[in-house]
Amino acid sequence: MKKIKYRSKLRLIFGRRMFIALMILAQILFLLALLLRGSQLRLLNIILSSLSVVTALHLITRPDKYAFKILWTFLILLFPLFGGVMYWTFHFQTASTGFRKILKKIEDAQQAEYRALCAPEEPHLVGQDQRLFSYLRNAAALPAYEHTQSRYFGDGKEMLSAMLADMRRAEKFIFIEYFIIEEGVMWNSILSVLRERVAAGVDVRVIYDDLGCLLTLPVGYQKTLRAQGIQCEIFNRFHPFLTTLQNNRDHRKIAVIDGKIAYTGGINLADEYINEKLRFGHWRDSAVRMQGAAAESFTTMFLQAWHLLSRTREPLRDLIADRDSTTPSDGWVQPYTDSPMDKIHVGERIYSHAISRSQKSLYITTPYLTVGEEMIASLKCCAESGVDVRIFVPGIPDKKVVFFTTRSYYRELLSAGVKIYEYTPGFIHSKIVVSDDDFCMIGSTNMDFRSFYLNYECGACFYGSQITADIKADILNLQADCHEVTEADCKTNFLVRFLQNICRMFAPIM
């Protein structure tokens, strides 16, 4: 046993992870050396300073988020020689441009084929919900569906039990796409079923994010899966280079069975998500199971990523299940996916919609609360209008700096009447929005800059569905285990407030 542990440590020290860390460190040292050298050579000093000035002017005129402009302008002012070089090193990359073009081509081809196969349904919504539906349909080509039954899970073990039962009944295919997969009780139980279904002739495919699984799966794990008959692709392989593309991670959580059943939410496939392993106290998370027409969208989402990574293409008609119009309807479901490769910030738009539409109540659960001033202003306005606004965040954080930044928003939100609850037993990882009693969203999108602008995300909006009442009841039960934050809890000294404001400025890259 000691020899095995010793060998694993050696692999960690001399393996891919250490190589990546050393390569990134070498690049940082090179850029720092360039900075120091620039201060000694007058001509290079002038060139680099001029580049920083031009970069700052470029930033001011770009239609980017205010928070990103402030952050980069601050860095350029802080490092007048190094700032311009750093900005263009991260942003001017042909790899990102090429990746974007390939993805757009795949999306356009798939959307055209899907429209030819499946007639779009037109929901009968009112007011702002109709506008959100129209926006998501027109701007992001995201259809809505009737004839779908949905089930909410506020516990990872309950979701796992239902998912395993559905997978055992799979006849055609099982598609799995997750940010984190980790060997352990949860993944091993799923893998056992996947091997059984492969032996029965079922098409099983797995996608996992390389950075998300950097510390949870062995190097070359895709080969292990392929040897067992499971097709596998790795999303955005992490390379030891300082690039913008490395920052765009596949944060989605998708499982599709036969194109008839789909799962999404905040739950990854690792043991802390079912509390088999305790990392930050009790882990509170959520997921949703959709059976019926809405599963079509999650099938197409997965296939977009699969075709992008495998460079293969297959007809959608072979993988889209025949729509069963006899499935009872429970409101309307509009699945969504969000990509950093376009300017359509779907996740942010859904949160903004929920805030603006709320008349009586607005409940939000999120592991992180690091957003722009516009959304903070919207939350304050909502509460000041008499809406019961409640935000639930972890009591035990997984990222202390992000939690420290999250708390910087408390004082101004509380002063406007927003109620904030910290889950004292542990960590909240669920990403839920409930507006009044007739609209909710559940998915992988955190309430932070990374989810809104940098990651690939997914989820589902529910209009007039029973699941909204189920989620709201679960949140009210959750509240009993939370500490309600008061203004007295927010009293800090000048140094803490100053550091929190500095952290808020860096929130776009957290």
Side-chain angles (χ1 to χ4, degrees), residues 67 348 370-377 409 449 452-453:
E348 182 187 38
T370 52
V371 293
E373 300 303 323
E374 305 94 332
M375 188 158 290
I376 293 297
Y409 296 92
F449 285 97
F452 288 167
Y453 309 117

Side-chain angles (χ1 to χ4, degrees), residues 87-100:
Y87 176 85
W88 292 111
T89 297
F90 276 85
H91 286 80
F92 188 69
Q93 296 161 26
T94 56
S96 297
T97 303
F99 192 86
R100 182 180 293 108

Side-chain angles (χ1 to χ4, degrees), residues 16-50:
R16 176 176 176 240
R17 300 176 180 93
M18 182 56 66
F19 174 73
I20 288 173
L22 291 175
M23 286 294 291
I24 291 176
L25 178 61
Q27 291 170 79
I28 293 173
L29 292 175
F30 172 77
L31 292 174
L32 289 175
L34 179 64
L35 170 62
L36 295 174
R37 188 64 176 169
S39 63
Q40 298 172 8
L41 299 177
R42 185 176 179 184
L43 178 59
L44 186 57
N45 191 323
I46 293 172
I47 293 173
L48 293 177
S49 298
S50 300

Side-chain angles (χ1 to χ4, degrees), residues 351-385:
Y351 274 94
S352 297
H353 166 77
I355 295 170
S356 64
R357 80 178 296 280
S358 298
Q359 300 293 318
K360 297 180 296 182
S361 62
L362 174 68
Y363 297 168
I364 298 172
T365 68
T366 178
Y368 318 113
L369 179 62
T370 52
V371 293
E373 300 303 323
E374 305 94 332
M375 188 158 290
I376 293 297
S378 295
L379 287 167
K380 291 167 61 178
C381 181
C382 186
E384 289 167 344
S385 301

Side-chain angles (χ1 to χ4, degrees), residues 10 248 300 318 330 371 388 405 496 510:
L10 285 178
N248 302 138
T300 60
D318 295 342
D330 179 22
V371 293
D388 177 15
T405 307
V496 171
M510 287 184 177

